[in-house]
Amino acid sequence: MLDIRNLHASVDGKPILRGLDLHVGTGEVHAIMGPNGSGKSTLAQVLAGRDSFTVEDGSVSWDGVDLLAMPTEERARAGLFLAFQYPVEIPGVSNAYFLKAAVNAVRRHRGEPEYDAMDFLKRVKAEMKTVGMREEFLYRSVNEGFSGGEKKRNEVLQMALLEPRLAILDETDSGLDIDALRTVADGVNRLRSPERSMIVITHYQRLLDYIVPDHVHVLSRGRIVRSGGRELAHELEERGYGWIDEAQATPAAQGAAS
Amino acid sequence: MSTLEHWLQRYNAGRDALPGAGVPWLDALREEAIMRFADEGWPSNRLENWRHTSLALLEERSFAPAAAPLAPEAVLQRLRRDGEEAAGGHWLVFVDGRHAPALSELGALPAGAEIRALADVLATHAEAVEAHFGAVDEGASPAALNAALATDGAFVRLARGVALDAPLHVVFIGGVREGASLVRNLIVAEAGAEATIVEHYVGVEGAGDVQAGAAAAGTAGALTNAVTRIAAAQDARITHLKLQEEDRSTVHVAQIAAVQARGSVFASHSLSFGAQLARNDITTRFDGEGCEALLNGLFHVDGRRHVDHHTRIDHAQPRGTSREFYRGVLDGAGRGVFAGRILVAPGAVRTDAMQRADNLLLSPQAEADARPELEIYADDVKCAHGSTVGQIDEDSLFYLRTRGLDEAHARNLLTYAFAAEVLERIGLAPLKRRAQAAIRARLPGGELMEAL
């Protein structure tokens, strides 16, 4: 479904991704773990189309389509969803307007009829209930003054409404207490389906107790350096990331030279 | 002929026909005022307060009415239709600076509320106006020209404790048969009185239409010169909203000057969306303790248009609170100027003043100046100010695009949201909606933003 080959990306001339390979099959949940600065968030942003990153080399094929050639909004309409690590506050735009505009942009693309106000409200209120958001959040500005947990719930709400084929969750666990983490993870688990692939990016193993992945990858210095099953996450939990860097001393030197 | 001579001739030929002509104090005041204007001329950027906005262009200009004006009836109808509570409120309408009784609809007023055309009051009992008319040396030279030649305006007097139930809309439709309108509004609120007053300035060539020929070259077009004086007695509450939607060839020069007595509350919303050049001087002075003022403003420029707000809040007495928020949306090669002066007099302790000015540039040719000027001569005060000039936030843009909104929609949405935040401070919902519709009509993609 998603095929990333030899992906190199840089920001302001500084290489961040240095030959990343990853294959995500339909319906699979892949966790990407790694220390700070390993390129996890860059990967998420590059896949979503952030143009402050420059793709230097490599390819990303998504169901046979060149993902990197698509503008950000077209990726979204085609079913790619990025749950932000730091959801952006947008003063002056109500959550209701934002959600409706997003859902209808995606529905138009799919050739489905746009929601009118009534249908939309019915749908969104039902989804809010499942992620534990009060209705007042509809009429507040997007993410403005939301707590960390409320922002992440809002991300999961958007994911539920947009029904993506590929969801990328960028450190969705950061800044959450255990109750909020559980609610958010429940929301994500409800959206697991054989048609929907997910990439779950996290620094900590804890999230993976709740969102159990099919595959775990370790990212270090812009490359996947180890892949395995969920037991790999436990190993990282016990041993930390230090050993990865040591084990990677030689390949990393190659990466730096390229 | 320079316009200086034009104005002197106009004064000499027309003074006996001005409302209240023959009333000694008024004749003397007009005489002095025209002399001041003749002496000073239009302000140019040699004056510090006019550094960014020169009116020297007016010296070479012929003041022409619109080439193909809409009927004032049609302009008014559109204005009244735009608000959904259109039928409500009190409407006092002026065409080319003269009261149009047939278009006005004051409706029932509460006892103790007097709302009339200034010309009528000057003709019948000018003595009621004398204390409120204003002095020759107030404001810059255009205000003096206004004092000499103003033909009409709204006169509003609210007796002690009287509250106006619905907004008073004062509508000025300019450039129909005459090129220049000079109007003066006097608002007198006695103790505890309360009112919301809306001044609309509208052109007759269709809002936002680009015009060709001389108008585009800036050598012909209409002029509006307006002065509004507001006296708020103890505990009075006055909300003033000005919606400037003049034609793109009009030069609009206006002053709003309030004086507040103890415990009074004054809110000014200045929405400046039209005109080739608009200059607004907005001032308030706290003459008693515990006054509150809100100066809230939004402007939009595009093409080569220019909008300037100069504000001044005079904290002359203790325990005054002022809040000031100005925002500008600048497109094309538009220019925006904001200068906000806050004066805290000696002894004005426990003053609490806050000022913000933020500008959003939509084009690399647009230019914004924001200048705070705080002069504080008292101890134990809280004063804060901040200003920004920036572009659309890239993080916000990316966030919206990752949700499927195309780039243009996302940009328009963020632009409108930036502007609409100012309008949230307008307390009355129908007025807020009217203001939102007015800015939406000017911003790209505004029609998509209705349900925001």
PDB file of all heavy atoms in Angstrom, chain B residues 11 154 178 321 339 383:
ATOM      1  N   TYR B  11     -16.901  79.400   0.907  1.00  0.00           N
ATOM      2  CA  TYR B  11     -17.328  79.979   2.181  1.00  0.00           C
ATOM      3  C   TYR B  11     -17.954  81.357   1.964  1.00  0.00           C
ATOM      4  O   TYR B  11     -19.059  81.647   2.438  1.00  0.00           O
ATOM      5  CB  TYR B  11     -16.126  80.086   3.136  1.00  0.00           C
ATOM      6  CG  TYR B  11     -16.465  80.789   4.430  1.00  0.00           C
ATOM      7  CD1 TYR B  11     -17.183  80.127   5.432  1.00  0.00           C
ATOM      8  CD2 TYR B  11     -16.098  82.113   4.639  1.00  0.00           C
ATOM      9  CE1 TYR B  11     -17.518  80.778   6.609  1.00  0.00           C
ATOM     10  CE2 TYR B  11     -16.426  82.763   5.817  1.00  0.00           C
ATOM     11  CZ  TYR B  11     -17.130  82.091   6.803  1.00  0.00           C
ATOM     12  OH  TYR B  11     -17.471  82.726   7.956  1.00  0.00           O
ATOM     13  N   ALA B 154     -25.883  64.769  12.510  1.00  0.00           N
ATOM     14  CA  ALA B 154     -26.863  64.298  13.493  1.00  0.00           C
ATOM     15  C   ALA B 154     -26.665  65.050  14.803  1.00  0.00           C
ATOM     16  O   ALA B 154     -25.534  65.266  15.239  1.00  0.00           O
ATOM     17  CB  ALA B 154     -26.695  62.801  13.723  1.00  0.00           C
ATOM     18  N   GLU B 178     -23.088  66.318  -5.492  1.00  0.00           N
ATOM     19  CA  GLU B 178     -21.980  67.185  -5.109  1.00  0.00           C
ATOM     20  C   GLU B 178     -20.758  66.347  -4.796  1.00  0.00           C
ATOM     21  O   GLU B 178     -20.866  65.218  -4.348  1.00  0.00           O
ATOM     22  CB  GLU B 178     -22.352  68.009  -3.866  1.00  0.00           C
ATOM     23  CG  GLU B 178     -23.405  69.054  -4.151  1.00  0.00           C
ATOM     24  CD  GLU B 178     -23.752  69.838  -2.904  1.00  0.00           C
ATOM     25  OE1 GLU B 178     -22.815  70.150  -2.139  1.00  0.00           O
ATOM     26  OE2 GLU B 178     -24.943  70.114  -2.706  1.00  0.00           O
ATOM     27  N   THR B 321      -9.617  52.905  32.715  1.00  0.00           N
ATOM     28  CA  THR B 321      -9.230  51.682  32.018  1.00  0.00           C
ATOM     29  C   THR B 321      -9.436  51.883  30.527  1.00  0.00           C
ATOM     30  O   THR B 321     -10.520  52.290  30.104  1.00  0.00           O
ATOM     31  CB  THR B 321     -10.110  50.501  32.478  1.00  0.00           C
ATOM     32  OG1 THR B 321      -9.976  50.355  33.893  1.00  0.00           O
ATOM     33  CG2 THR B 321      -9.678  49.206  31.810  1.00  0.00           C
ATOM     34  N   ALA B 339      -1.341  54.913  14.516  1.00  0.00           N
ATOM     35  CA  ALA B 339      -0.544  55.554  15.560  1.00  0.00           C
ATOM     36  C   ALA B 339      -1.443  55.690  16.777  1.00  0.00           C
ATOM     37  O   ALA B 339      -2.505  56.304  16.701  1.00  0.00           O
ATOM     38  CB  ALA B 339      -0.041  56.910  15.092  1.00  0.00           C
ATOM     39  N   CYS B 383       0.484  49.786  32.018  1.00  0.00           N
ATOM     40  CA  CYS B 383       0.370  50.129  30.603  1.00  0.00           C
ATOM     41  C   CYS B 383       1.117  49.078  29.798  1.00  0.00           C
ATOM     42  O   CYS B 383       2.248  48.739  30.124  1.00  0.00           O
ATOM     43  CB  CYS B 383       0.976  51.492  30.306  1.00  0.00           C
ATOM     44  SG  CYS B 383       0.008  52.860  30.957  1.00  0.00           S
TER      45      CYS B 383
END
